[in-house]
Amino acid sequence: MKKQTLVVALSALMLAACGKKEEAPAAAAPAPAPVASAPAAPPANTEEKVLNVYNWPDYIAADMVANFEKETGIKVNYQTFENNEGLQAKLVAGNSGFDIVVPGAVFAKSQIDAGLLMKLDKSKIPNLANLDPTIMAKVANVDPGNDYIFPWAWSYTTVAINKAKVAKALGSTPLPDNAWDLVFNPTYTAKLKSCGIAYLDSPTEVIPPALHYLDKNPYSADAADHKAAGAMLAKVRKDIRLFSSTMIDDMAGGKACVALGWAGDLNIAKARAAENKNGNDIEVLLPKNGGLIFFDNLAIPKDAQHPNNAMIFMDYFLRPEVSASLTNELSYPTANKASVDKVKPELAGDKTIFVDADNMAKMVSPTSLSNETRESMSNVYTLFKKSK
Ligand code: SPD
């Protein structure tokens, strides 16, 4: 008890003990001593116990949702989207019903600027402290102050091969020095079309690597650069078998022998093929001029109905063991520094997952794409895909 409070309480006791009922003189009455109050309790979470999540496919550990539901009583509805363009369309239309979405860094800035995302209440996500400051500094390029988003996971866009099938299709031609040749150079694609070349299916997944191959800024805003990428892509169009939204299965099952894809998914394909013992031995390549790093980020749409539940989930995800389960099951690194020592050693030592310093120095970090740039890339991509 505080000293002043104690004095008031003791005086009251003494008065009562004397049996006197005294009227204190109004003018002379001392102001009641302020009673020290405990810090205000946070307002109770009055949201219904529901959380609607919109994430990429194959991007969550098997028991993450079930464990969260069991612990919190919050029922999670989980849906997936295949590319940033799909998510963007939902956010722009509004009333998506989602409480958590996972935009790529290259889209996030324009979403923040357009008021489509809600500022995070960092006091409700204490485990933000587990995030790696180096990675968060990179994310700050698209979200200054790290106020709206933080990474769910990261990886890079690159090339992977089915070793035996590619060796057979190339015959006496050795693998190129630059892995990007396998998907962009007609000398190679003409040979590899027999076993199947797969591209990701989205303008902002294909045009940036094509620009990078041409030694241009992958995120160039210059329409002339996009046209140059289109001209280069036109030369290999007839050799591309698949524009794939099921890349993991296509590579693991042998429908494609070369992929322009995400290292994380391609490593999942590698593990799946090994598990199935189907003879598809997949290798994720580190191009000598680097791949394109991406961050996929947790965010709350501006009109979310359950933002508190979203932040409870975010804090849960940022527990070291929960973040590590994503890496351990799906071979995607997270930005959770506190989870690193919980990652399986065979994954921690795989430089196609945790890229070593030499290769990392060659990788390109994401920068934001404006609406105009995305539109220009989309026009070039649509023409490319249509032509044959
Ligand atoms: N299976 C998870 C896929 C997540 C891919 N996000 C990639 C965004 C690259 N721009």
Side-chain angles (χ1 to χ4, degrees), residues 55-60 81-82 84 102-106 156-157 200 204-205 219 248 262 264-265 268 292-296 330 332:
N55 197 352
W56 302 76
D58 299 288
Y59 221 17
I60 190 158
F81 59 89
E82 277 158 11
N84 272 309
V102 191
V106 293
Y156 54 97
T157 304
L200 292 166
T204 54
E205 300 295 349
Y219 304 107
I248 297 174
W262 304 311
D265 277 14
I268 298 175
L292 307 189
I293 295 275
F294 61 81
F295 299 106
D296 293 322
L330 295 157
Y332 271 94

Side-chain angles (χ1 to χ4, degrees), residues 11 28 61 88 91 97 107 115 143 150 157 160 164 171 173 213 232 253 312 350-351 357 361:
S11 313
Q88 170 76 5
L91 290 176
F107 276 61
D143 173 23
F150 66 88
T157 304
T173 308
Y213 180 68
M232 186 269 285
I312 292 171
D350 184 334
K351 68 177 183 181

Side-chain angles (χ1 to χ4, degrees), residues 6 20 78 98 125 139 161 191 216 292 299 346 352 367:
L6 192 65
K20 276 194 190 161
Y78 194 88
F98 294 112
I125 319 173
V139 176
I161 55 171
K191 295 186 194 306
K216 295 181 186 291
L292 307 189
E346 64 271 29
T352 69
T367 44

Side-chain angles (χ1 to χ4, degrees), residues 337-377:
K337 209 174 173 184
S339 77
V340 172
D341 63 0
K342 299 190 163 25
V343 170
K344 291 179 189 161
E346 64 271 29
L347 301 180
D350 184 334
K351 68 177 183 181
T352 69
I353 300 174
F354 290 90
V355 180
D356 61 305
D358 280 356
N359 280 295
M360 194 51 122
K362 301 178 206 157
M363 298 265 173
V364 182
S365 287
T367 44
S368 59
L369 293 171
S370 68
N371 293 340
E372 296 71 30
T373 302
R374 282 192 268 109
E375 196 181 324
S376 168
M377 287 185 172

